[in-house]
């Protein structure tokens, strides 16, 4: 984009002050503690933050997460927040961050995104009134408001807007410093390692291309920008290379390395969702789920879309959307080349989000990297970001009185488009028999739109220069009021903090206290028991990360593939039906359950319903609380065992068939691969005890008079290293998913240390060697 001067100054301090005041008012329900951002923000991301902060507070590296799925490589998990700069900084100083602090990080980064838009408008000499409209529309409109619970994606879209501003500044000023800053901020975005970050890279690339296209001398513009762009690329590459490598390696051994074409299509936004750009709560998104009638929902009818209801809420304010229609198209403000990147970004985001409903879906799906993600509808964040800036730009043109001469036909068509918009909404509500439900949302939206149209019409007249500052303030007040009323806290975006009591350190939740008490009763040197939580509540799955309780299940879209194959572990266990059984674990009464050391099963339903194959006599009911049944599995095995005998077998075959070797006893035998078994000799009876166990290290004291194999019933992963009395010893995959180390006769200290950097480099080297060997045949 090219800068165009104008005579009026840009009152930067006043603009920032007004925007900050609006941000504070709109964010206050969360900052005051009255509400907290719910769902994924608390069920998934808050435990990640708490784990990070507690680990740092205890002087540990939060590299491995022992508290979900029997162990996960936390540093490689794209949603772990380890590489989120604001979360990391908070964790360094606050080792027990509150819900308010967690929400403040999200809202604060959205606020910085809005502030970046203000600075972008200032750099391009656009009117400050448009800047304020755009900033509020971004930080409290669109998916940033309606999908605020998706913390990782909020971080990525915020970093994108900041990097978009700095990149444009670098292109405008040909500054190496700005180029380096743009690379740093873009790296912060990429470290989100989600679809928003991937799309952000494509949009930043498109920004550079459009910059050249808009230049009077593209060749000269390219030469001038080469230095800043190379500097940015260098800075960004240095920052993101290793985190991306670790995540890629983890993804290759995970449950979902790619999303197929059909699966991605089911994550598309339905075209009728576009009506919410002007009518925010048309489909009843902010109320009880049973009242929601938009796509997809039972009231809408059969539809094989797998998206949440709030993914169909796009409202960013009446003013910016009407400005796009009435000023951008009706007054042809888009003739100015400055708007083309914003208009193009907005249009591409809409087409991408619509997914399979457009002919472009096939092309989008085959862009590098997009097959790793499941929802085209995630692009709604970019509809909000580009829509906010585009609407603010149109307002700026009107307030600056720099619009082209009026085209009567275009103006009439734009007004007809607004009328048609509401006519379609009314017709759809009647067709779906939802006229009573939709009546109030349509009337409310109509009221805001009428006022916005009047103000936007006034802003286009030649006399507006004298009243432009006052019009800007009035439009800003309308925008703030609009998003406060229509995008304010609701069931989808805000719940009382008390709803998540179990996620607080020191929680007195009765079920949690009972679990801790029962686990303490069975403390022994070789034990560190696990639990499974099924169906108690959505946010219970990862509560064990906060409470430091080892869990055989959890909540994470990304899980180790072998573990999923062995246990059937799904994304989460909010419902009883989400407990899956496998051939290797056909029931809770199975060897795998015992080897995992699952001592307690915490369920919202009785065992007879949870596991019909189980004999109820084998699982004593310890306590029935208001929320859960707590059962004991008395056969849970120790975490560490010295095993005398080795059994050679194909572990992958066992995983597929679910059949262990005949007469297999995990306390007396260990299953190893034939290659590993050939290197190990049988030992004798001995014992092992845990001495230290944290997020990076497990230390075991072994008494092995005749030698043997030390089995650690933690998930095997190639980035762990072991030493026996300080001497490195290979870790073998044992009993399908666990770890084992051969120990010689005598007393020994065995240390397992998680070494992700060394491990990732060695795994990469191994993969490259295999690729080279395969290519040579």
């Amino acid at each position: 984009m090219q800068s165009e001067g104008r005579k009026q100054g840009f009152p930067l301090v006043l603009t920032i002050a007004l925007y900050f005041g609006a941000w504070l008012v709109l964010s206050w329900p969360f900052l005051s503690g009255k509400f907290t951002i719910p769902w994924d923000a608390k069920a998934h991301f808050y435990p990640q933050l708490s784990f990070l902060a507690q680990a740092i507070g205890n002087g540990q590296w939060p590299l491995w997460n022992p508290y979900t799925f029997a162990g996960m490589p936390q540093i490689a998990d794209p949603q772990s927040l380890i590489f989120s700069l604001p979360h990391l900084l908070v964790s360094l100083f606050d080792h027990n961050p509150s819900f308010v602090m967690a929400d403040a990080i999200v809202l604060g980064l959205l606020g910085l995104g809005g502030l970046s838009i203000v600075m972008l408008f200032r750099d391009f000499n656009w009117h400050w009134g448009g800047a304020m409209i755009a900033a509020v529309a971004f930080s409290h409109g669109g998916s940033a408001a309606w999908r605020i619970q998706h913390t990782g994606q909020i971080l990525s879209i915020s970093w994108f807007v900041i990097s978009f501003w700095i990149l444009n500044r670098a292109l405008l000023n040909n500054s190496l410093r700005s180029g380096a800053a743009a690379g740093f901020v873009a790296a912060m975005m990429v470290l989100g390692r989600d679809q928003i970050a991937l799309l952000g890279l494509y949009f930043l690339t498109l920004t550079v291309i459009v910059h050249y296209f808009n230049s009077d001398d593209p060749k000269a513009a390219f030469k001038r920008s080469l230095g800043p762009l190379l500097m940015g690329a260098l800075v960004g590459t240095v920052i993101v290379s290793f985190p991306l490598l670790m995540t890629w390696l983890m993804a290759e051994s995970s449950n979902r390395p790619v999303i197929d074409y059909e699966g991605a299509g089911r994550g598309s936004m339905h075209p009728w969702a576009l009506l919410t750009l002007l009518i925010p709560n048309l489909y009843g998104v902010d109320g009880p789920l049973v009242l929601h009638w938009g796509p997809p929902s039972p009231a809408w009818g059969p539809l094989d879309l797998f998206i949440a209801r709030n993914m169909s809420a796009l409202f960013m304010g009446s003013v910016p959307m009407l400005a796009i229609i009435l000023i951008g198209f009706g007054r042809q403000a888009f003739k100015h080349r400055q708007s083309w990147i914003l208009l193009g970004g907005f249009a591409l985001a809409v087409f991408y989000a619509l997914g399979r409903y457009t002919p472009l879906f096939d092309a989008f799906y085959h862009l590098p990297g997009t097959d790793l993600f499941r929802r085209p509808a995630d692009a709604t964040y970019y509809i909000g970001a580009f829509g906010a800036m585009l609407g603010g730009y149109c307002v700026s043109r009107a307030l600056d009185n720099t619009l082209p001469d009026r085209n009567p036909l275009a103006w009439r068509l734009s007004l007809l488009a607004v009328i048609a918009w509401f006519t379609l909404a009314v017709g759809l509500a009647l067709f779906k028999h939802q006229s009573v439900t939709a009546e109030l949302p349509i009337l409310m939206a109509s009221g805001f739109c009428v006022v916005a149209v009047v103000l936007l019409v006034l802003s286009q007249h030649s006399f507006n220069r004298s009243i432009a500052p006052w019009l800007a303030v009035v439009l800003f007040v309308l925008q703030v009021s609009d998003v406060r009323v229509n995008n304010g806290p609701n069931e989808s975006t805000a719940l009382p903090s008390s709803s998540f009591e179990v996620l607080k350190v020191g929680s007195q939740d009765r079920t949690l206290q009972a679990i801790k008490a029962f686990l303490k009763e069975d403390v022994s040197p070789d034990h560190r028991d696990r639990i499974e939580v099924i169906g108690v509540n959505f946010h219970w799955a990862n509560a064990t990360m906060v409470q430091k309780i080892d869990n055989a299940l959890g909540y994470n879209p990304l899980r180790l593939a072998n573990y999923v194959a062995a246990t059937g572990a799904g994304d989460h266990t909010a419902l009883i039906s989400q407990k899956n059984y496998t051939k290797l674990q056909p029931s809770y009464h199975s060897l795998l359950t015992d080897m995992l050391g699952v001592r307690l099963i915490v369920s919202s339903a009785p065992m007879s319903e949870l596991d019909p194959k189980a004999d109820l006599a084998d699982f004593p009911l310890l306590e029935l609380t208001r929320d859960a049944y707590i059962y004991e599995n008395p056969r849970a095995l120790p975490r560490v065992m010295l095993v005398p005998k080795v059994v050679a077998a194909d572990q992958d075959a066992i995983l597929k068939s679910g059949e262990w070797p005949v007469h297999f006893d995990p306390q007396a035998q260990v299953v190893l691969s034939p290659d590993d078994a050939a290197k190990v000799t049988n030992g004798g009876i001995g014992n092992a005890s845990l001495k230290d166990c944290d997020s990076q290290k497990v230390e075991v004291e072994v008494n092995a008079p005749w030698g043997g194999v030390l089995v650690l019933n933690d998930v095997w992963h190639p980035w762990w290293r072991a030493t026996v009395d300080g001497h490195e010893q290979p870790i073998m995959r044992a009993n399908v998913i666990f770890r084992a180390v051969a120990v010689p006769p005598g007393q020994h200290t065995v240390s397992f240390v998680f070494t992700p950097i060394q491990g990732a480099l060695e795994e990469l080297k191994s993969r490259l060697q295999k690729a080279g060997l395969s290519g040579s045949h």
Side-chain angles (χ1 to χ4, degrees), residues 226-360:
L226 197 57
L229 292 178
L230 288 175
M231 179 62 74
L234 176 63
V235 170
T237 301
V238 168
I239 293 172
V240 306
S241 293
F242 210 79
L244 286 181
L245 170 63
M246 289 188 290
T247 297
W248 174 70
L249 291 172
M250 180 187 175
E252 288 295 297
S253 61
S254 77
N255 58 304
R256 44 176 264 183
V258 296
I259 304 299
D260 63 27
Y261 186 86
E262 183 180 353
R266 289 175 179 171
S268 303
M269 178 184 74
H270 197 279
W272 284 107
L274 293 173
L275 289 178
T276 64
L277 282 166
L278 276 181
I279 310 170
N281 198 31
L282 175 64
Y283 299 118
V285 176
D286 71 348
L289 183 60
V290 294
L291 298 181
H292 175 240
W293 63 277
S297 70
W300 183 272
L303 201 61
D304 63 336
L305 291 181
F306 296 140
I307 59 174
R309 54 175 170 159
N310 57 0
M311 292 181 188
S312 296
L314 307 175
F315 186 72
M316 57 187 166
S318 303
V319 172
M321 191 60 210
L322 287 172
I324 291 172
I325 298 171
L326 299 178
I327 298 176
F329 292 104
R331 286 300 306 274
Q332 299 177 299
F334 297 146
K335 284 185 176 181
H336 292 275
R337 289 187 296 180
Q338 281 187 311
S339 67
W340 291 353
I341 180 60
L342 302 179
L343 181 61
F346 182 72
L348 286 173
V350 169
F351 279 108
Y352 190 98
L354 289 172
R356 71 183 188 189
Y357 294 104
T358 77
L360 297 178

Side-chain angles (χ1 to χ4, degrees), residues 417-495:
V418 175
I419 295 170
W421 204 293
F422 281 88
T423 302
L424 282 173
V426 172
L428 179 64
L430 290 171
F431 180 73
K432 293 291 183 179
H433 309 291
Q434 298 292 331
S435 56
V436 174
T437 305
E439 181 180 6
L440 182 58
I442 292 174
L443 287 175
M444 287 182 63
S446 300
F448 277 105
C449 283
V450 167
V451 177
V453 168
V454 171
L455 293 174
L456 289 173
V457 168
L458 286 175
S459 70
Q460 298 174 48
H461 286 281
S462 58
F463 63 78
N464 80 37
R465 291 198 177 194
S466 60
I467 64 169
W470 299 107
L471 272 175
V473 171
V474 174
L475 282 166
F476 176 64
V477 171
L478 176 62
Q479 170 69 7
V480 173
S481 303
D482 199 357
V483 296
R484 176 63 184 87
V485 171
N486 291 303
N487 285 359
N490 59 70
E491 187 182 277
S492 288
T493 62
L495 289 174

Side-chain angles (χ1 to χ4, degrees), residues 59-64 66 693-698 720 752-756:
Q60 301 173 7
W61 291 101
L63 308 179
W64 179 265
C693 196
D694 59 36
S695 59
Q696 188 185 4
K697 183 178 180 181
V698 178
W720 281 89
F752 296 84
V753 180
F754 188 58
T755 58

Side-chain angles (χ1 to χ4, degrees), residues 45 76-81 147 150-160 186-202 244 247 256 352 368-370 372-375 378-379 381-382 557-558:
F45 288 101
D77 184 352
Q79 300 185 81
S80 68
L81 301 180
R147 297 176 62 185
H150 296 153
T151 300
Q153 294 178 321
I154 291 291
L155 298 179
S156 293
I157 194 64
S158 299
W159 287 122
F160 166 77
M188 295 299 102
M189 173 189 73
V190 172
L191 288 175
R193 291 161 287 178
D194 54 27
Q195 185 167 206
I196 308 305
L198 176 67
L199 293 177
L201 284 178
Y202 283 122
L244 286 181
T247 297
R256 44 176 264 183
Y352 190 98
T370 54
L372 295 173
F373 303 103
R374 58 183 174 180
R375 289 191 301 249
D378 285 342
Y381 285 98
Y382 284 99
L558 199 64

Side-chain angles (χ1 to χ4, degrees), residues 43 502-503 509 511-512 515 531 533 536-544 551 573 602 627:
V502 73
L503 295 178
D509 179 89
T511 303
L512 176 64
I515 290 170
I531 70 170
V533 182
V536 178
N537 210 317
F538 182 55
H539 58 271
W540 261 84
N542 279 356
T544 51
N551 190 352
T573 52
V602 185
D627 300 315

Side-chain angles (χ1 to χ4, degrees), residues 6 10 19 23 31 63 117 120 162 164 192 207 212 247 258 362 419 428 444 487 495 530 654 732 737 751 769:
R6 75 183 159 77
F10 192 106
Y19 170 62
W23 174 88
L31 300 179
L63 308 179
I117 291 176
L120 177 78
I162 299 170
F164 182 74
T207 300
Y212 297 146
T247 297
V258 296
D362 187 70
I419 295 170
L428 179 64
M444 287 182 63
N487 285 359
L495 289 174
R530 291 190 172 95
I654 294 174
M732 300 172 288
I737 62 171
S751 296
Q769 287 175 342

Side-chain angles (χ1 to χ4, degrees), residues 169-206:
R169 171 167 282 196
L171 294 172
L172 187 64
N173 300 327
N174 303 307
S175 165
L176 291 177
R177 182 181 299 177
S178 294
F184 174 81
V185 177
M188 295 299 102
M189 173 189 73
V190 172
L191 288 175
R193 291 161 287 178
D194 54 27
Q195 185 167 206
I196 308 305
L198 176 67
L199 293 177
L201 284 178
Y202 283 122
F203 280 124
L204 291 176
T205 303
L206 182 63

